[in-house]
């Protein structure tokens, strides 16, 4: 009853013949009448054409190595409904180390896959939007390390994406701005409230640019503090204009 409620189907098949046993839940997961012939061939017949060869090779590798890796694949039921299954199993060997049987479970993970695909689509939209922005965008964890940066952020540093995630901005800060910025940053992060910083940073070209950054705290679904999300804008032209205006006034 528990297996049926969890869409967990049991299977057991002979490594030599490929024939085996399926539990009622597995027949149901595959959309097949209970009691029909069960085995590897019958499973492959309902596996989606795009996944069939991968599943077949996964089974062959399991028999040869004696270890079965988890495998996610689509099946097409007789009514043309497509479902996702996760197969997990164990290969049993005899005293000579030869595979003789394989036993395991197939779990219907269709709802989980759909949720994953929606999340992936949402993340791709977010990344496309972030990468199109002409400002530096980032998301940081509670320890201050970045877990996301956009393309403008990467371009500013002139390093690969993974290096941009680990980049220490103190290395790019103008020395005479460093003490002030560090003090303001520590206070801002400790407050867990929105805070702003302005300082001069060295671009990949070697020139110094004024960057105004605004950081906003972010929280998880349970309300737990998860880090900060921030944006950095190049305000060098505004600073130069401000300096020119001061010269004119003087």
């Amino acid at each position: 009853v528990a297996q049926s409620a969890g869409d967990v189907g049991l299977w057991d098949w002979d490594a030599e013949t490929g024939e085996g046993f399926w539990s009622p839940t597995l027949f149901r997961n595959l959309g097949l009448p209970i009691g029909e012939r069960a085995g590897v061939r019958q499973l492959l017949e309902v596996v989606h054409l795009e996944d069939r060869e991968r599943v077949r090779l996964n089974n062959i590798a399991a028999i040869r190595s004696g270890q079965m890796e988890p495998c996610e694949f689509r099946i097409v039921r007789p009514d043309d409904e497509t479902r996702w299954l996760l197969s997990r199993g164990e290969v049993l060997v005899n005293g000579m180390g030869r595979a003789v049987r394989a036993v395991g479970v197939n779990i219907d993970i269709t709802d989980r896959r759909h949720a994953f695909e929606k999340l992936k689509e949402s993340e791709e939209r977010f990344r496309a939007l972030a990468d199109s922005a002409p400002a530096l965008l980032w998301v940081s964890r509670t320890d201050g390390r970045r877990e996301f940066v956009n393309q403008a952020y990467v371009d500013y540093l002139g390093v690969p994406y993974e290096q941009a995630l680990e980049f220490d901005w103190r290395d790019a800060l103008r020395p005479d701005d460093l003490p002030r910025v560090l003090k303001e940053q520590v206070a801002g992060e400790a407050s867990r409230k929105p805070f702003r910083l302005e300082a001069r940073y060295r671009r990949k070209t070697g020139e110094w640019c004024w960057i105004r950054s605004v950081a906003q705290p972010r929280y998880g679904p349970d309300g737990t503090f998860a880090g900060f999300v921030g944006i950095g804008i190049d305000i060098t032209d505004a600073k130069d204009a401000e300096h020119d205006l001061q010269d004119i006034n003087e």
Side-chain angles (χ1 to χ4, degrees):
V1 172
Q3 292 165 2
S4 178
D7 293 327
V8 178
L10 304 180
W11 51 264
D12 180 349
W13 50 274
D14 188 299
E16 292 286 343
T17 66
E19 301 294 325
F21 161 82
W22 291 348
S23 70
T25 305
L26 182 49
F27 278 103
R28 188 189 71 192
N29 286 349
L30 300 176
L32 300 175
I34 296 175
E36 284 197 357
R37 196 171 183 178
V40 178
R41 289 183 180 179
Q42 288 71 31
L43 173 66
L44 290 176
E45 288 176 359
V46 297
V47 173
H48 194 287
L49 285 175
E50 295 179 3
D51 297 341
R52 188 171 297 173
E53 183 65 10
R54 177 167 55 84
V55 173
R56 188 183 73 84
L57 294 177
N58 186 74
N59 288 337
I60 292 175
I63 296 303
R64 289 177 176 174
S65 67
Q67 295 184 343
M68 181 168 286
E69 297 294 330
C71 183
E72 295 186 7
F73 56 91
R74 292 163 293 177
I75 58 101
V76 181
R77 291 178 172 177
D79 60 1
D80 290 332
E81 180 186 10
T82 300
R83 306 287 295 180
W84 276 93
L85 296 183
L86 165 63
S87 180
R88 302 181 69 94
E90 181 178 353
V91 178
L92 307 180
V93 298
N94 59 19
M96 302 295 292
R98 183 175 181 177
V100 293
R101 288 175 61 201
V103 296
V105 297
N106 278 355
I107 307 171
D108 190 311
I109 58 169
T110 305
D111 292 341
R112 191 189 77 181
R113 286 291 306 201
H114 287 170
F116 170 77
E117 289 167 0
K118 289 182 180 178
L119 177 61
K120 183 179 179 181
E121 181 182 355
S122 176
E123 290 179 344
E124 289 175 349
R125 287 200 302 267
F126 164 75
R127 179 174 287 277
L129 179 63
D131 285 343
S132 66
L136 284 64
L137 301 175
W138 68 89
V139 178
S140 66
R141 299 196 293 258
T142 54
D143 60 1
R145 298 181 64 184
R146 305 287 192 255
E147 66 178 37
F148 169 82
V149 296
N150 72 337
Q151 189 59 46
Y153 191 108
V154 173
D155 293 342
Y156 189 93
L157 295 176
V159 298
Y161 182 83
E162 294 300 326
Q163 291 185 28
L165 289 176
E166 302 293 334
F167 187 82
D168 189 341
W169 276 92
R170 289 175 296 185
D171 295 337
L173 260 171
R174 187 154 174 160
D176 44 345
D177 288 345
L178 182 59
R180 172 183 59 81
V181 171
L182 289 181
K183 182 178 179 180
E184 294 175 355
Q185 181 179 1
V186 170
E189 292 179 349
S191 71
R192 294 188 179 179
K193 295 179 180 180
F195 67 93
R196 187 177 72 176
L197 301 173
E198 289 186 4
R200 287 162 291 185
Y201 298 86
R202 188 188 298 274
R203 292 180 62 94
K204 64 179 180 180
T205 57
E207 61 181 318
W208 292 100
C209 297
W210 278 95
I211 298 292
R212 174 183 295 154
S213 63
V214 180
Q216 173 83 26
R218 63 189 184 93
Y219 298 89
D222 59 353
T224 303
F225 174 70
F228 284 89
V229 58
I231 181 172
I233 302 172
D234 188 331
I235 59 170
T236 304
D237 291 343
K239 285 289 186 179
D240 289 344
E242 180 182 342
H243 184 269
D244 292 343
L245 181 60
Q246 289 176 350
D247 288 345
I248 292 174
N249 289 335
E250 290 174 0

